[in-house]
Amino acid sequence: MVEAGMDTSVSVSPCDACDVVTVPTRQGLEAVDILRRGAGEGVGSVIHDDGCDTLGFLVPPGTAAAWDVPGSTCTETDGRGLSIVPAPEPPVEGSDWLLPPGEADLATDPAVLRAALGEAARLIRAADSCR
């Protein structure tokens, strides 16, 4: 299936070379809540970077090639410095797992994450406009 120029047929199988979608912490936490409340598709492993105030969602390899969600970036890791095994140490100094591998699906489906990030952005805009 192709949605907004993105091939969403990528498998969400275990990988040591997952891509990482990085978003501001506030939007990422909203998206995690949305994904955890949703029926069916779950949220994969998520890492929090305290120094940069960001969340990183692990997504299947190949996602970065077509990722175009405003306010986020998707980085190919090709396994560089990222080893995914159950309950690993955080792969980056100054970070910690919000949802570690073993407690969540390994990777989040990119189409599901795209929808959750969009909903999170709308909720944040609505909340901020009420101030």
Side-chain angles (χ1 to χ4, degrees):
M1 171 198 296
V2 176
E3 176 184 313
M6 186 172 127
D7 179 3
T8 60
S9 64
V10 176
S11 170
V12 185
S13 59
C15 63
D16 284 334
C18 291
D19 291 350
V20 180
V21 172
T22 306
V23 299
T25 298
R26 184 176 178 199
Q27 182 180 12
L29 291 173
E30 286 289 345
V32 167
D33 286 345
I34 291 164
L35 290 166
R36 293 188 97 180
R37 285 191 314 255
E41 301 291 338
V43 62
S45 300
V46 179
I47 193 161
H48 181 240
D49 181 0
D50 291 323
C52 293
D53 200 26
T54 59
L55 287 187
F57 291 82
L58 298 187
V59 293
T63 301
W67 191 259
D68 62 351
V69 176
S72 68
T73 59
C74 188
T75 306
E76 290 182 59
T77 67
D78 294 327
R80 295 174 298 220
L82 183 64
S83 178
I84 306 301
V85 294
E89 291 297 314
V92 178
E93 188 175 327
S95 66
D96 201 2
W97 290 106
L98 178 66
L99 296 172
E103 291 182 22
D105 294 338
L106 182 60
T108 302
D109 180 285
V112 173
L113 180 57
R114 174 187 295 272
L117 289 172
E119 184 176 342
R122 288 187 296 277
L123 289 170
I124 290 168
R125 276 194 304 275
D128 288 352
S129 70
C130 292
R131 291 183 183 181

